[in-house]
Amino acid sequence: MESSTSRTRLNCISLADPDTQRSVALLKQACLDSGFFYVLDHGISQEFMDEVFAESKKFFELPNSEKMKLLRNEKNRGYTPMLDEILDPENQVNGNLSRPTCDYKEGYYIGVEVPTDDPQSNRPFYGPNQWPSEEVLPKWREVMEQYHREALRVAKSVARIIALALNLDADFFDRPEMLGDSIATLRLLHYEGGQKTGQVSNPSKGVYGAGAHSDYGLITLLATDDVVGLQICKDRNAQPQVWEYVAPVKGGFIVNLGDMLERWSNSLFRSTLHRVVLDGRERYSIAFFVEPSHDCVVECLPTCKSETNPPKFPPITCSAYLSQRYKDTHADLSTYGNGKA
């Protein structure tokens, strides 16, 4: 059972605010309350954001045969087709025959570019990206690589405020084993309109644009168009669950905390359930997932534990945690056969 009609109010963090303590206080309150907040004045121009969305739309408008040439590989780079991902298997229905419960969205993963001759390319989540040809989409790679750099800059600025909110040094997450050598992943997302797919979300029947889930890493920066669809559930254990819409914010990011930060903070900060509910309109969004380096050990921070509040989670490396989460939520590539032909 659930209730879902209201809109939530989120704190707004301005990266241009000279009053650092005010930003820390607003962010800490948001992390304790919902794990979601807005980030404004981040330094990425609206003109460039519009260009990124326009280039994303150009890709998703390509014929399916062209998109499948760039089907995601074992490094999770490239195209994820409609019904590829399952985020809430207990409640979702109506997928394809081999995967009966799936999201009604398609996407495209772009990670840190690591050439094949670099020894680092042998590691999970590192390697060369897959790119549409210049003949098909001129400038596409250039725009996406610039956005990846800009979004990582913003994420590091947010992480510094988070560190202060956890009573750590401001540069705690800047270290090489943290975000100095991060597994930062850009994901373009497209939810088709109801006229094309016939799919309007219906939670009572288990049909969603994206099923209920929490994100895996440190933080996520989400840019959206003006179509409402994102919902959050502040208390996943409540019966019934209460879902609230998060309004899009023009020129800003919706930021949420991931599971790794919840583990680091010993559940002090919240990695909150969220989902996408479609009203029949086409919707585009761009998510930027920020995780630490492969070998970073995610374990309870010294400022978040005590004799009366011992660590709730065992230590785990970032690479091991991410690998398992991706495996759990995406279709096996063998189900596509020779999908790139």
Side-chain angles (χ1 to χ4, degrees), residues 287-333:
F288 190 72
F289 303 105
V290 183
E291 288 98 21
S293 70
H294 287 82
D295 298 327
C296 179
V297 177
V298 181
E299 59 183 336
C300 183
L301 295 166
T303 57
C304 298
K305 62 182 178 181
S306 65
E307 289 187 5
T308 57
N309 185 31
K312 298 178 176 64
F313 306 97
I316 190 171
T317 65
C318 175
S319 181
Y321 186 76
L322 285 180
S323 295
Q324 187 59 52
R325 292 295 298 270
Y326 273 82
K327 182 179 179 181
D328 290 344
T329 56
H330 286 77
D332 192 296
L333 287 171

Side-chain angles (χ1 to χ4, degrees), residues 122-143:
N122 295 319
R123 312 192 78 177
F125 309 105
Y126 272 9
N129 285 296
Q130 298 196 81
W131 301 107
S133 70
E134 284 285 328
E135 291 76 17
V136 175
L137 292 176
K139 286 184 60 182
W140 202 85
R141 175 175 180 172
E142 176 187 341
V143 168

Side-chain angles (χ1 to χ4, degrees), residues 116-128:
T116 53
D117 59 358
D118 187 322
Q120 289 273 58
S121 69
N122 295 319
R123 312 192 78 177
F125 309 105
Y126 272 9

Side-chain angles (χ1 to χ4, degrees), residues 43-45 47-49 51-52 110-111 131 139-154 186 253 288:
I44 303 177
S45 72
E47 291 77 15
F48 182 61
M49 292 294 299
E51 185 177 11
V52 176
I110 301 167
W131 301 107
K139 286 184 60 182
W140 202 85
R141 175 175 180 172
E142 176 187 341
V143 168
M144 296 307 164
E145 288 188 322
Q146 181 182 343
Y147 183 77
H148 193 286
R149 291 191 298 270
E150 291 289 319
L152 183 57
R153 173 187 57 77
V154 175
L186 169 61
F253 288 108
F288 190 72

Side-chain angles (χ1 to χ4, degrees), residues 112 126 152 156 176 178-184 290-294:
V112 177
Y126 272 9
L152 183 57
K156 289 180 177 180
M178 298 285 189
L179 300 186
D181 193 17
S182 62
I183 308 174
V290 183
E291 288 98 21
S293 70
H294 287 82

